[in-house]
Amino acid sequence: MKINEIKYLSVAELNAKLKELNSELFNLRFSHATRSLANPMALHNIKKDIARVKTILREKELQEKGGNDGNK
């Protein structure tokens, strides 16, 4: 998932996407523990996607609070 795709989602959509990604991460970790994970890089990619979604959520939260001042 690219950052440009995430930027234009609403907060509700971002929260839903975050929940979905966390669920997928759980499933991948379970598969990894049972040695049936086909693509080990999938764990890395999901973690990066979760970080991207959390970053955009935080940016939107700061914009709502008016803390978008770049001087500080």
Side-chain angles (χ1 to χ4, degrees), residues 9-27:
L9 297 176
S10 69
V11 174
E13 291 171 328
L14 287 170
N15 284 325
K17 188 70 174 169
L18 184 60
K19 188 175 181 180
E20 174 188 328
L21 288 170
N22 281 325
S23 166
E24 191 172 342
L25 179 62
F26 174 79
N27 291 334

Side-chain angles (χ1 to χ4, degrees), residues 7-8 10 24 32 58 64 66:
K7 275 186 184 178
Y8 301 107
S10 69
E24 191 172 342
H32 183 65
R58 180 67 177 151
E64 287 177 3

Side-chain angles (χ1 to χ4, degrees), residues 1-65:
M1 175 170 274
K2 300 282 183 180
I3 195 75
N4 292 333
E5 298 170 7
I6 300 170
K7 275 186 184 178
Y8 301 107
L9 297 176
S10 69
V11 174
E13 291 171 328
L14 287 170
N15 284 325
K17 188 70 174 169
L18 184 60
K19 188 175 181 180
E20 174 188 328
L21 288 170
N22 281 325
S23 166
E24 191 172 342
L25 179 62
F26 174 79
N27 291 334
L28 286 173
R29 283 183 175 165
F30 188 77
S31 294
H32 183 65
T34 60
R35 308 235 187 254
S36 64
L37 186 61
N39 182 8
M41 284 303 293
L43 280 169
H44 175 77
N45 294 336
I46 291 295
K47 287 179 184 179
K48 291 286 188 176
D49 288 343
I50 289 172
R52 287 183 186 108
V53 170
K54 285 184 175 183
T55 299
I56 298 300
L57 275 171
R58 180 67 177 151
E59 286 177 0
K60 289 183 182 253
E61 178 184 326
L62 291 175
Q63 285 176 354
E64 287 177 3
K65 290 183 179 180

